[in-house]
Structures are given as C-alpha cells and as structure tokens.
Amino acid sequence: MSYDRAITVFSPDGHLFQVEYAQEAVKKGSTAVGVRGKNVVVLGVEKKAVAKLQEDRTVRKICQLDDHVLMAFAGLTADARVLIKQARVECQSHKLTVEDPVTLEYITRYIASLKQRYTQSNGRRPFGISCLITGFDYDKTPHLYQTDPSGTYHEWKANAIGRNAKTVREFLEKNYSPDNVATEELTVKLAIKALLEVVQSGGKNLEVAVMKEGSGLQMLDVSEIEKIVQVVEKEKEEEAASKKKESKAESK
Amino acid sequence: MALAEVCGFQPARKGLDIAEATAESANIEFNSQLMLPPFANPGLNLGNVLVDESGKEIQMHFDHGTTTLGFKYQGGVVLAVDSRATGGMYIGSGSVRKIIPINKFLLGTMAGGAADCTYWERVLSKQCRLYELRNRERISVAAASKLLSNQAYNYKGMGLSMGVMIAGYDKRGPGLYYVDSDGERISGEVFSVGSGSIFAYGVLDQGYRYDLTDEEAYDLGRRSIYHATNRDAASGGIVRVYHMKPTGYEVISEEDCKDLHYRYAEEKKK
C-alpha cells in the first residue's frame, strides 16, 4: 500500500494545520517543567491521578536516554515511546562510531529532525509531543532543550510544557535568577514551586528527577517531595500574611 | 568507452566490461557505491585482468613496498615516510607523497595500494568536513580513524590493501591510530608500517623516549626511515618528516636518502 497523499499540507495562508493541531494535543498533556541550575538539572512532572485499581509505577513520564541525558514530555504517551526508543539507540550508536557520549545539542537535533521528517512524509501524522531534554555534556556544562511537534528546538534556562504551561513559564520568568539556582536545593525548590502553581498540592501529585554532573538520574521519593512542598507552602503563607499586614498598615 | 576501443583493450573474462563498471560505479556522487569485484576471492584474483597476445593471463603484481612510521611524544606526533613506489622489480616513482593531509589537524599515511589509500583518505576528508559543519567542532582523531576503519571493514575480503596511520591533534591531545584493510584499528605510541618497517623499528625502538625534544624527534624519525631505505629494496627516494602540533601540522624536512647516507657516514668518521 503506498500513500501518495501527504497528510501535512500547507493551507492557503501558510499554516501547517496538522502541526498546529499536534501542538493542541500537547497542550492537553500533563504539565512538565525543567530548570537548569548552576551544576544541577531538574525535571518535574505532574502525575495524573490514577484509577483506584491501577498500579502507580507504570506511568513514567521522565525517561533516561543515556547516563547523562534525561527527557520529560507532554502529549501523547504512545508517540513518546517511539521517539524515546529511537533516541536511546542513537545515543549508543553515536558512542560506538565517535567514541564519545552525545552532546545535548546533538541528541536534541536528532529528535527534532525525526519530528520534522514526520511533518513532511507520505501518509504520516506529526508526533503529538513536546519534549524537555536535559543533562550534561562531557565538558560538564548543563543544558536544557525543548522540542515541539514541528521539529524546531531551542535552548532554555527554564521552561514548561503541557497544560497551563504559560502560567508556569510566567512564574519562572518572574522568579528565575542565577542566585535562585545556585545550589541543588534551591533549584529543586524552584522547580517544585513552579509546578505547584498549577498542580494540586501534595507530594504524591509530583514526580521530580534530579541530575548532578557526573552522577546519573536520581528520582526524589514521595517523602522528600512532601518535605519541600511543605516548606514552599509555609513560605507562601508567610508571604501572604506579611502582605496582609502591609496592606492593613497602609490602609490605616 | 572510446579510449578502450582506441587502445584495443580486451577484458580477460566476461563481467569486466568497462561499460558495466561505469554503470555500476556511481562513486563520483556516492563515494561508497563502488562496483564489487564480479568474481570469487577478489583478494587473490584481482590482478587477473589482462591477457597477453597468446591469451595467457598476466597477473598484475600489486606492491606493498614502503616504509612509514609515526610516534607520539611530548611535542605532539611525528610522521616520517619514504617516497618509493615499486611494481615487482620496477621502480614506478621516487617521489610519491605518502603523507596525505586530511585537514589541518589530521594526517594520514599511505602503505599498500596507493589508489586505495588516497581515495579513501579523500573520502575521509569530506566526511570530517561535514562533521565539522554539522557539529560546529572539529572531529576527534578517534572518530576520524573509526570512520575510515568502518569503511574499510565494509570491503573486507574484497581486495582493498591499506595500512594507514591516522595522526592528529584534538581536545584530548595528540592521537595516533593504525588502521588497515583487514578492519584493524588500534591506538598506540609508536607504529611503523610497510616492507621496511622491520628495519625502521630497530632504530625507532632503540631511540624512542616520550620526552624527546622536537629536534631529537625529527632526527629519530629521519634516521629510522633512512636505515629502512638502506636495507629494503622497496623503500627509498625522499625522506619526508612531518610534525603534528597543537596548532596544526608542519612539514619539517624532505631530504633525499642519498644525501642522508653520506651525511650519516661523515658523522661516523668523527
């Protein structure tokens, strides 16, 4: 069976509607946030509520592509599986032919090229996912990249994708500063704080992954996340209380 | 082809038609799309292309006579080569360039089939440049030598003859790899390749230290090749010495081995 009709064709005013619809699919997915710290990278995702009889562990939205590369995605999980499989093979293939681990830019470019190919192929639809790819190059510098269904990619200091990504991104724009990400603790706190803007409060609704230079993926467990969530909540309350005091003092 | 007709070329057996070869070898556009030898055991039978007047097959004799050497030391990598090309007992050329620049930071040597070495090292130059453009950084010596050895492995058993050293300078410092047409690829401090390598190794191993000065290193390389040209019939001509530095490669000297012979003889008299 040969498919002659391309699914992704231009509209009269220059849009690729299939790609734009794919971006809509991404906006339906659960939120993911990535923050690049001074010598640590953090990925956080919203854990969708699981049905009563469903096993929690089978829903994994943060994946390891290689010892030094992590990925989180938003959108159609099945599409992500295909991309992750090919990206993992490419990481090893690169190591075999070049005798060096992939740089973040290289693997992001590879994933983005795959996505672009599907926007220009017969009978195929674009991938319905955006990815946050993060990790360390072998020169020890941390990087965070974002790709989208059209196949473009950009490097970010911090970004969010999925549902309510705009809100999270605005929060990050207001609160990201080199001081705020100088240590591992601060970076993790910023990522969780950003997620809590749009996610129901509670450690069991978040999945957080941390990677330091030279060490592999470290998933924070529920109790650690709970602790940080409580600290963040307390700070929020204190901030709200002091603002109230200020406004009371002013109005007097 | 017109030239074949004018020369009265008659292929020894069917399947070696020139028209067929040009149709199957699209290697101007696709460097790896070469026609595979249309007979068994190309390693042995590749030379049986010609027939003399009585119809007897003339075996072409491919020469592997040469001496090349390379070694890593504190100042980078030194490569030294001879320049003689022989076919049997006939000296084809006395001024072959057996060091092939791949780019400013990568050099390749030639031993075995000259055409095989120059062709695949030129293809390697193209691949290294494309890597640079795609990844915005220079290719490592390990990756470049691996590209060549993977390419050679594709043609394993089909009659390629290459014994090449890839020398270069990258982020990890000086690099020296031996790559051959059997698919071998090894990194090392000291290599010598060719029929004269046995003579060169004697002098090289005796004088080699990692902390040689630049001048001592050039002299060691030059002397080793000279001694090989002296004893090996298939090595001779001009002794070329190249130095791969952190800033790129430099041609150090190109002297006839005859001059070196008399110079070293003078030194002995003192």
Side-chain angles (χ1 to χ4, degrees):
Chain A
M1 256 195 298
S2 79
Y3 289 88
D4 294 322
R5 313 261 340 273
I7 285 177
T8 314
V9 289
F10 279 111
S11 71
D13 58 347
H15 290 258
L16 286 172
F17 280 126
Q18 281 299 306
V19 175
E20 290 181 16
Y21 298 159
Q23 282 159 346
E24 291 300 311
V26 170
K27 287 189 197 151
K28 284 206 160 70
S30 49
T31 321
V33 74
V35 182
R36 182 188 86 198
K38 186 147 168 261
N39 37 30
V40 69
V41 291
V42 179
L43 285 176
V45 296
E46 170 195 357
K47 259 209 289 210
K48 269 211 178 94
V50 293
K52 232 168 116 181
L53 293 173
Q54 189 178 0
E55 288 276 19
D56 196 0
R57 274 170 291 121
T58 50
V59 187
R60 269 275 113 100
K61 288 201 42 164
I62 299 178
C63 317
Q64 207 176 358
L65 297 183
D66 199 354
D67 296 327
H68 61 296
V69 186
L70 289 184
M71 184 178 120
F73 60 89
L76 303 169
T77 315
D79 285 4
R81 239 187 4 242
V82 173
L83 272 180
I84 290 167
K85 193 164 119 181
Q86 292 200 39
R88 282 175 173 159
V89 172
E90 180 60 22
C91 284
Q92 298 310 312
S93 197
H94 184 276
K95 238 189 233 173
L96 179 59
T97 47
V98 179
E99 291 190 349
D100 263 332
V102 291
T103 59
L104 266 293
E105 208 252 333
Y106 179 91
I107 195 64
T108 307
R109 203 168 0 120
Y110 177 80
I111 291 172
S113 312
L114 266 182
K115 287 184 170 179
Q116 191 280 339
R117 216 170 298 157
Y118 276 64
T119 69
Q120 222 180 353
S121 291
N122 286 343
R124 291 177 180 169
R125 59 161 179 82
F127 284 97
I129 61 166
S130 279
C131 308
L132 285 174
I133 301 154
T134 188
F136 290 84
D137 285 347
Y138 49 76
D139 61 359
K140 304 189 203 264
T141 53
H143 294 277
L144 171 68
Y145 284 91
Q146 186 229 4
T147 64
D148 71 8
S150 63
T152 56
Y153 68 94
H154 301 277
E155 187 169 6
W156 292 76
K157 297 187 182 102
N159 198 5
I161 50 177
R163 210 169 16 222
N164 302 317
K166 199 153 167 277
T167 317
V168 181
R169 203 176 306 129
E170 281 168 2
F171 174 86
L172 286 168
E173 276 175 19
K174 271 196 231 119
N175 291 283
Y176 181 96
S177 73
D179 293 329
N180 265 354
V181 295
T183 69
E184 181 187 338
E185 227 185 289
L186 284 169
T187 317
V188 174
K189 203 163 95 168
L190 181 64
I192 291 180
K193 226 170 143 179
L195 258 185
L196 287 175
E197 292 280 309
V198 297
V199 171
Q200 233 189 355
S201 184
K204 56 178 168 54
N205 293 328
L206 301 175
E207 209 177 284
V208 180
V210 181
M211 184 184 262
K212 283 198 289 277
E213 193 281 309
S215 58
L217 161 61
Q218 189 206 350
M219 299 292 293
L220 297 185
D221 54 45
V222 185
S223 53
E224 288 174 300
I225 302 176
E226 267 297 341
K227 252 194 276 174
I228 302 173
V229 168
Q230 280 169 4
V231 170
V232 169
E233 294 285 293
K234 229 176 90 182
E235 284 178 8
K236 262 199 204 157
E237 282 176 26
E238 286 171 7
E239 222 184 287
S242 66
K243 274 214 183 113
K244 254 201 200 158
K245 273 197 199 153
E246 271 176 36
S247 60
K248 264 197 185 158
E250 273 177 30
S251 63
K252 275 198 183 135
Chain B
M1 279 181 81
L3 185 58
E5 280 161 27
V6 165
C7 298
F9 175 76
Q10 294 292 330
R13 63 169 84 95
K14 207 175 173 309
L16 292 174
D17 195 63
I18 283 188
E20 205 178 302
T22 39
E24 307 241 344
S25 282
N27 66 312
I28 304 291
E29 288 131 48
F30 307 110
N31 302 121
S32 304
Q33 215 167 304
L34 298 170
M35 185 174 135
L36 299 177
F39 43 77
N41 290 321
L44 298 166
N45 295 324
L46 207 53
N48 302 347
V49 208
L50 302 172
V51 270
D52 66 10
E53 322 82 54
S54 52
K56 196 172 94 173
E57 280 181 4
I58 305 170
Q59 167 78 278
M60 276 200 286
H61 181 72
F62 294 116
D63 163 62
H64 307 333
T66 191
T67 317
T68 63
L69 66 82
F71 58 89
K72 283 198 278 202
Y73 75 113
Q74 56 78 19
V77 190
V78 162
L79 292 176
V81 297
D82 78 316
S83 66
R84 179 174 289 183
T86 49
M89 285 292 112
Y90 171 73
I91 295 180
S93 167
S95 54
V96 178
R97 292 198 167 274
K98 296 189 187 179
I99 291 184
I100 299 155
I102 293 164
N103 66 40
K104 195 170 163 215
F105 293 88
L106 277 174
L107 289 174
T109 61
M110 182 200 297
D116 291 338
C117 293
T118 43
Y119 183 82
W120 289 112
E121 284 180 23
R122 286 196 69 161
V123 171
L124 180 62
S125 303
K126 170 187 164 188
Q127 290 171 327
C128 289
R129 180 61 181 143
L130 283 173
Y131 180 100
E132 253 176 55
L133 288 167
R134 286 183 186 134
N135 296 288
R136 285 177 293 182
E137 68 171 12
R138 281 201 325 266
I139 193 171
S140 65
V141 189
S145 61
K146 202 151 211 178
L147 285 174
L148 183 64
S149 86
N150 285 341
Q151 198 67 270
Y153 186 77
N154 277 336
Y155 292 93
K156 190 174 161 82
M158 296 188 204
L160 273 188
S161 171
M162 293 193 311
V164 153
M165 286 184 285
I166 301 289
Y169 217 100
D170 61 25
K171 272 192 285 216
R172 290 186 170 79
L176 182 62
Y177 285 83
Y178 167 73
V179 175
D180 77 13
S181 44
D182 294 328
E184 177 131 23
R185 172 181 168 271
I186 42 181
S187 170
E189 306 284 301
V190 178
F191 288 116
S192 180
V193 184
S195 58
S197 64
I198 41 178
F199 306 109
Y201 268 130
V203 181
L204 188 54
D205 287 335
Q206 194 252 4
Y208 175 75
R209 275 175 296 120
Y210 188 81
D211 49 8
L212 292 165
T213 66
D214 288 347
E215 282 306 320
E216 287 174 338
Y218 307 151
D219 184 65
L220 180 64
R222 202 178 295 129
R223 229 174 253 272
S224 309
I225 297 288
Y226 158 72
H227 282 284
T229 63
N230 195 30
R231 284 293 177 183
D232 179 30
S235 302
I238 302 165
V239 178
R240 303 187 209 269
V241 179
Y242 282 52
H243 183 186
M244 178 58 76
K245 300 179 178 161
T247 48
Y249 77 84
E250 197 190 309
V251 183
I252 302 300
S253 70
E254 294 182 335
E255 293 173 282
D256 197 313
C257 62
K258 171 171 53 81
D259 298 331
L260 293 176
H261 174 82
Y262 290 114
R263 197 192 312 157
Y264 295 148
E266 280 297 312
E267 281 176 18
K268 268 206 191 154
K269 282 186 197 159
K270 285 187 191 148

